[in-house]
Every structure is written in structure tokens, then in C-alpha cells.
Amino acid sequence: MKKKKFIDFFEDKGYIIVLAVLALVMFIVTGRFLELQEGTEDGLSMEETIMNLESEDITSIGFRSSEDGELYLFVQDSSGSWYLGLQPDIAIVQEAPQYFVELCKNITSYYKTENVEDFSKYGISDDGACLLIVTADESYQIFIGDENSTLNCYYARFAGEDTLYGLSSEYGEMAAYTLEELILDE
């Protein structure tokens, strides 16, 4: 009789035990997720400035378009006007390169993952979309990959590095411009 009551108890209360086990699993998974958000040496770390320049430090800025695959490099002359490096005779919208400079002088990453071996999983390739930032002392090339719509960012990496970053969607949008959108209508 005692055995039957024991079995009946678990049959009647079994759903409570299942819920308790699920709650425990959720607690463990949530704790692990929060631990990753706080950051680990080789894992996920939240919002960090990965580039910090002054506007006047940037002498040229450009991007390889994800739309047409062309490299557009903007150079500033001594009077402060911008021109298209390889096609200086084309009149461009002056606000565009200045916007790009303001966007790229302080780059913040929403997360990073170090020691990535295969960037192709993230849509990043050496001949794909990229940003090019040139100062008097150094050049920075940042390859832009696929969009992560969950975090509203684009995967990215600096040339020569094995770290994956999550950059604001503005950087992916920058690399999607075409020449037609940057030249002045006359």
C-alpha cells in the first residue's frame, strides 16, 4: 500500500518536479549567459571602444562597397575639401566623407570573440566589404561581414587580427554606399 501511495504521489505531482527541473536548468543557463556577458579572456565581452582617434588625425577614409565591390577612398586637400582619390575630377557630396570620419573616429564594439579561426562563417573575407581609415602614422583596414539582426550589428575584424567584433549597423550601411549616391547631381 505504501508503494502505491508513493507512485500515486509522483504521478499526481510529477508535473511539479518537471517544472522544478526546468527551472533549475534555466537558472544554470542564465547564470552562464550572464557570466559570458561580464566577459572572459577568450569569450564574449560587452561594449568596448576599439578605436579612438581625433577627426583631424584622419587624412583619408574609404570603404570597399558591399554593393558593387569598388574601393572608394576620400582624401582631404589642404583647404579641407574632400575628393575621390582615384577620380578627383568627380564632384562629391562633401558631407559624406565628413560623416564617415565622424563615424569612424571612435569605433565601439558590442562584443568581441578572440582567437577566431574561420571568419567566413561570419561573412568576412579579405576581398569583401571593408573600411579603410588612414592617419599620418597608421592605416586601419576593417573587414565587414554579415549582419547580426539580433544584436543589430555587423560582424567585423581588423586586418591581421583574429578577433571578431560586433560593430554598429551604421558601419555595414557605410560599406553599402555606391558612387552614384556620393556624387553631386549637376
Side-chain angles (χ1 to χ4, degrees):
M1 183 81 169
K2 289 184 178 184
K3 186 175 180 184
K4 174 125 174 75
K5 284 185 178 181
F6 183 75
I7 292 171
D8 287 344
F9 172 79
F10 280 105
E11 284 179 357
D12 293 341
K13 309 294 187 219
Y15 66 91
I16 294 173
I17 293 171
V18 169
L19 288 176
V21 169
L22 286 175
L24 179 62
V25 169
M26 291 291 291
F27 178 76
I28 292 169
V29 169
T30 303
R32 178 68 179 135
F33 177 73
L34 292 175
E35 177 184 312
L36 284 175
Q37 281 188 330
E38 290 173 6
T40 63
E41 189 173 310
D42 60 346
L44 181 71
S45 63
M46 300 307 283
E47 202 167 323
E48 141 183 30
T49 299
I50 57 174
M51 179 176 286
N52 192 4
L53 300 171
E54 298 294 326
S55 297
E56 55 272 5
D57 293 339
I58 299 174
T59 58
S60 301
I61 191 157
F63 61 92
R64 183 181 309 128
S65 175
S66 59
E67 295 299 313
D68 60 18
E70 293 294 320
L71 176 65
Y72 301 113
L73 182 65
F74 299 95
V75 181
Q76 193 171 32
D77 64 19
S78 59
S79 69
S81 295
W82 291 92
Y83 63 92
L84 195 55
L86 298 175
Q87 300 171 336
D89 56 326
I90 295 178
I92 61 167
V93 177
Q94 289 293 301
E95 293 79 15
Q98 192 58 47
Y99 167 72
F100 299 152
V101 166
E102 290 303 312
L103 182 62
C104 292
K105 70 180 185 180
N106 295 309
I107 298 178
T108 300
S109 173
Y110 294 114
Y111 68 88
K112 74 177 183 180
T113 302
E114 296 177 340
N115 304 317
V116 175
E117 294 180 11
D118 183 9
F119 285 97
S120 66
K121 293 191 287 190
Y122 305 99
I124 298 173
S125 69
D126 290 349
D127 59 350
C130 70
L131 307 177
L132 184 61
I133 303 162
V134 181
T135 69
D137 301 322
E138 201 165 349
S139 304
Y140 305 91
Q141 188 172 19
I142 306 168
F143 296 101
I144 306 293
D146 294 336
E147 182 178 14
N148 179 326
S149 58
T150 304
L151 296 176
N152 193 29
C153 65
Y154 280 80
Y155 296 113
R157 79 167 176 91
F158 281 86
E161 291 188 13
D162 64 355
T163 301
L164 178 71
Y165 295 99
L167 303 185
S168 165
S169 61
E170 295 170 309
Y171 299 100
E173 293 164 6
M174 177 180 166
Y177 278 96
T178 61
L179 183 59
E180 291 76 31
E181 296 171 303
L182 301 171
I183 60 175
L184 289 172
D185 293 328
E186 297 192 22

